[in-house]
Amino acid sequence: MVPEEESVESLMAQFGTTGKYQTRQYILHFFVAFLSGLHMFSLTFIAATPRHRCYIQELDAGLADNNNVSLFEKEILSRYIPIKADGELDSCHRYSAELPFDNGSVDAKTTSRLVEQCNGQFVYDTSIYQQSRVYDFHMVCENKWKRAFIQSIYVFGVFSGALFCGSLSDRYGRKIVLCGSGILQFVFAIAQPYFTNFVLYSGSLFFYGMFGSAGAYVTAFVMSMELVHKSNRTYCGVIFNSSFAVGACFVAIYGYFIRDIWLLQTVYAMHAAVLLGYWFLVDESIRWLWTQKRVEEAVKIANNAVKLNGGSFSNNYKIPQTHSTVQPQGSKFGLSDLFRLPIMRFRAIITAFNWFAISLCFYGLAFNMEGLTGDPRSSFHPYLVFLILAFADLPGFLLVALLFNKTGRRPLNSTLLCIGGVVCIVTTVIPRGMLVRTGLAILAKVILACNFAIIYSYTAELFPTMVRNSALGLCTMSSRLAGTLVPQITLLNSIDKSIPSLVFGGIAVCASFAFLFLPETLNKELPQTLEDGENYNKDDTAFNTLCNQTRDSRKNMQMNSEVHDKMLVE
């Protein structure tokens, strides 16, 4: 009989590190990541905000459409629309029709009284975006809060889904949450084009974010990490995150070729239809089944895997018995269990803080990307810019794949996060619009993409199977919280334009230091129980490792010196 503590490892060892079974399961998991990237950025072109201005009766009456670019030229419109301090047309105000339009005939005080709001009457430049949800609900000017609101409600859905679905996955299983999220993801994705009421549309976006970019994604990642052998975890994690980036790239590709937003959203939804068959294609996590004492089911899946890989299966497994005081048999585990034991609680807080810092710095740098924008009249440029920015993550993931198993998780993540934070701070002293500023911003984005790939894999390796999905859910929620705080922090630029970047970079540098208190997970077995998680590399921190290396070095030097002295005496 195989010893209890080795049973699950020996069970999974029977179907090897790679094979047809693992490849099929990984492809199914990676497709979920692709879909998450597709859904996460869907509003970029579904609800794009184009150039706009007030409707001018004298110019626009009787026109069949308003895609004539000349109608946005300052020379023509300056008699009807105020000019802002930066020399651009005011997109939200016009001169009152009851008073003269000749700016030269009135003084500045009179001109200020001529200005009025558009009162819901707008002309949109449809040369780039023929359709947009912004047109449907007039989400510009005094109603621009609506555009920010739908983006925030979507992110809040992702925020809630990461926590809610992660906890459910640890309690009731990975497969049921993945498949349930897949069904609801398809339902809310296909329903998007048909909501014409703003409240209903906003509510649907909440659930679209919950199941489209959180519930399925986090669960599929955990299933991959619990299936893959420790020697291949790095490559599995990198490919999974790369699949998300590829999905983001397809947002731009589909958006460019499909300008009808109703058809575009339907195309996004039809991809999710594949998930409807996942109940018959994806297997439950063997590790999770084992922790739930459902050994017969775990053995059955392993047996099928061995046969598919062309091997022979040996069934010598029994139901594991536990003597742990923190893991009673038959109990269900969730988010609260992460904080029951002191060491795991400390690690959960530090890990979540790192997710928060990476996301905060990543999205904070996004505000420095304005140097990439070009001629707004180009119908191709906005899609190309988005494609470049999405594709820029892939070189970062390649860098992780090359270094991850050589440097270890802890030093690589801490170093890259510190560099990203410093770059974010450095951009504050470089004038806006300079090429070097844009180059540094893109470099930092690539570096922080590396951090995302590292921290996903590291979190799955650090926490035990019992609460692994809850841990990832907590950390993903922390990441989304950072994303929602970025716009509020940027408001501090009204005091000093350098403050937001200093905050983003400073938090990232602090998080990189805090990460040094966490253990290294390279080439270590995944912990199973809460007790395993509490005792996992208990005394391993960067500082202890450094002290031990220094002490060993001094000891070796002393021994060499004694040997040398002895040789001289002889």
Side-chain angles (χ1 to χ4, degrees):
M1 187 69 65
V2 182
E4 293 171 10
E5 62 273 11
E6 298 178 3
S7 293
V8 68
E9 298 298 340
S10 63
L11 175 64
M12 298 185 68
Q14 289 203 49
F15 51 85
T17 58
T18 57
K20 290 182 179 180
Y21 173 76
Q22 292 96 319
T23 301
R24 291 183 182 181
Q25 293 295 306
Y26 294 151
I27 290 174
L28 293 171
H29 298 162
F30 296 157
F31 184 70
V32 174
F34 170 85
L35 281 180
S36 296
L38 196 68
H39 294 313
M40 187 70 185
F41 300 101
S42 61
L43 286 177
T44 303
F45 300 116
I46 293 291
T49 302
R51 288 195 300 169
H52 55 278
R53 63 169 174 82
C54 292
Y55 176 87
I56 305 299
Q57 178 73 20
E58 290 77 2
L59 290 178
D60 306 315
L63 292 181
D65 59 72
N66 296 306
N67 62 358
N68 189 341
V69 177
S70 65
L71 293 182
F72 286 85
E73 290 186 356
K74 184 163 58 175
E75 292 76 10
I76 298 174
L77 292 169
S78 59
R79 294 183 65 247
Y80 305 93
I81 295 177
I83 304 297
K84 297 188 296 184
D86 60 4
E88 296 297 321
L89 289 168
D90 191 325
S91 60
C92 296
H93 297 88
R94 64 188 174 193
Y95 292 124
S96 173
E98 288 76 18
L99 294 173
F101 299 111
D102 186 0
N103 295 350
S105 63
V106 291
D107 58 24
K109 184 180 294 185
T110 305
T111 301
S112 66
R113 292 200 298 268
L114 297 175
V115 175
E116 65 180 11
Q117 292 185 334
C118 301
N119 296 322
Q121 294 180 308
F122 298 96
V123 171
Y124 297 101
D125 180 3
T126 58
S127 60
I128 298 177
Y129 308 113
Q130 284 85 31
Q131 295 176 340
S132 172
R133 281 295 193 174
V134 168
Y135 305 165
D136 299 337
F137 302 114
H138 289 302
M139 295 187 287
V140 293
C141 296
E142 64 269 20
N143 287 323
K144 65 181 180 181
W145 65 268
K146 291 185 177 180
R147 178 60 180 84
F149 178 77
I150 63 172
Q151 186 67 61
S152 297
I153 201 70
Y154 181 89
V155 173
F156 187 66
V158 178
F159 175 96
S160 303
L163 185 62
F164 176 70
C165 295
S167 183
L168 286 180
S169 179
D170 283 332
R171 287 178 176 273
Y172 303 107
R174 306 342 188 183
K175 182 176 178 178
I176 190 171
V177 172
L178 175 62
C179 294
S181 295
I183 294 172
L184 293 171
Q185 177 183 139
F186 172 73
V187 169
F188 286 104
I190 200 69
Q192 290 295 306
Y194 304 101
F195 287 107
T196 57
N197 179 276
F198 181 75
V199 175
L200 292 177
Y201 181 65
S202 301
S204 68
L205 283 175
F206 172 83
F207 293 105
Y208 185 36
M210 175 179 285
F211 300 110
S213 297
Y217 181 82
V218 174
T219 305
F221 181 80
V222 169
M223 293 178 78
S224 288
M225 298 305 288
E226 290 181 345
L227 175 64
V228 69
H229 187 267
K230 62 183 179 181
S231 61
N232 295 326
R233 278 186 214 141
T234 296
Y235 307 108
C236 180
V238 167
I239 295 174
F240 195 93
N241 283 279
S242 298
S243 299
F244 181 91
V246 172
C249 291
F250 269 82
V251 171
I253 295 172
Y254 284 136
Y256 178 73
F257 288 105
I258 305 173
R259 300 301 178 92
D260 185 317
I261 62 170
W262 286 270
L263 178 59
L264 180 60
Q265 184 62 52
T266 302
V267 169
Y268 294 157
M270 293 313 296
H271 284 73
V274 176
L275 301 182
L276 299 180
Y278 265 42
W279 185 262
F280 307 100
L281 300 173
V282 174
D283 286 331
E284 179 60 271
S285 166
I286 292 177
R287 291 183 181 276
W288 182 83
L289 288 171
W290 194 269
T291 62
Q292 299 299 309
K293 315 301 181 289
R294 293 161 61 176
V295 174
E296 291 184 4
E297 296 175 59
V299 169
K300 183 178 179 180
I301 293 173
N303 186 20
N304 294 334
V306 170
K307 289 181 179 179
L308 186 60
N309 288 346
S312 57
F313 185 73
S314 175
N315 187 359
N316 56 349
Y317 301 93
K318 66 177 181 178
I319 298 177
Q321 302 296 322
T322 178
H323 304 291
S324 171
T325 59
V326 297
Q327 182 185 318
Q329 185 171 351
S331 60
K332 300 292 184 180
F333 295 87
L335 182 64
S336 60
D337 296 288
L338 270 174
F339 299 93
R340 287 175 54 188
L341 302 174
I343 294 179
M344 274 211 304
R345 180 167 58 247
F346 173 78
R347 291 174 176 177
I349 293 171
I350 296 296
T351 307
F353 177 52
N354 265 259
W355 279 72
F356 178 88
I358 293 169
S359 183
L360 193 74
C361 200
F362 184 89
Y363 290 112
L365 282 168
F367 283 88
N368 294 325
M369 293 294 181
E370 71 279 357
L372 290 177
T373 57
D375 184 2
R377 299 178 184 179
S378 169
S379 62
F380 186 77
H381 194 269
Y383 300 93
L384 179 60
V385 168
F386 186 90
L387 181 63
I388 291 173
L389 293 179
F391 188 81
D393 292 347
L394 296 177
F397 296 146
L398 177 61
L399 177 65
V400 171
L402 295 175
L403 298 178
F404 211 29
N405 286 338
K406 295 180 180 180
T407 63
R409 282 69 163 133
R410 182 174 60 202
L412 185 60
N413 182 75
S414 184
T415 301
L416 290 178
L417 184 55
C418 184
I419 293 174
V422 170
V423 170
C424 197
I425 294 172
V426 169
T427 58
T428 63
V429 299
I430 302 176
R432 291 179 180 271
M434 291 188 64
L435 183 60
V436 65
R437 181 188 178 98
T438 301
L440 285 174
I442 295 176
L443 173 63
K445 185 176 184 297
V446 173
I447 291 174
L448 290 162
C450 294
N451 283 113
F452 271 122
I454 296 168
I455 202 70
Y456 257 106
S457 298
Y458 179 83
T459 305
E461 293 173 342
L462 179 63
F463 294 98
T465 302
M466 289 292 188
V467 290
R468 184 169 295 123
N469 222 101
S470 295
L472 269 169
L474 171 70
C475 292
T476 303
M477 183 189 71
S478 178
S479 172
R480 300 310 172 199
L481 175 62
T484 60
L485 289 178
V486 166
Q488 281 67 46
I489 295 176
T490 55
L491 294 177
L492 295 173
N493 63 12
S494 61
I495 302 174
D496 189 306
K497 292 187 180 299
S498 64
I499 291 179
S501 292
L502 290 174
V503 172
F504 300 144
I507 291 177
V509 172
C510 291
S512 69
F513 176 77
F515 197 79
L516 297 175
F517 287 94
L518 297 178
E520 178 59 65
T521 61
L522 177 63
N523 293 327
K524 303 292 176 58
E525 298 292 347
L526 294 179
Q528 286 289 105
T529 66
L530 295 182
E531 207 166 49
D532 293 340
E534 182 71 0
N535 296 319
Y536 185 74
N537 295 345
K538 194 171 184 178
D539 298 320
D540 181 18
T541 68
F543 307 101
N544 288 342
T545 300
L546 181 62
C547 290
N548 290 337
Q549 290 176 348
T550 303
R551 184 169 56 252
D552 292 342
S553 177
R554 290 177 178 174
K555 185 177 180 180
N556 290 334
M557 291 177 61
Q558 183 178 359
M559 292 177 61
N560 292 335
S561 177
E562 291 176 352
V563 172
H564 179 70
D565 293 343
K566 184 176 181 181
M567 291 176 63
L568 289 177
V569 172
E570 292 176 351

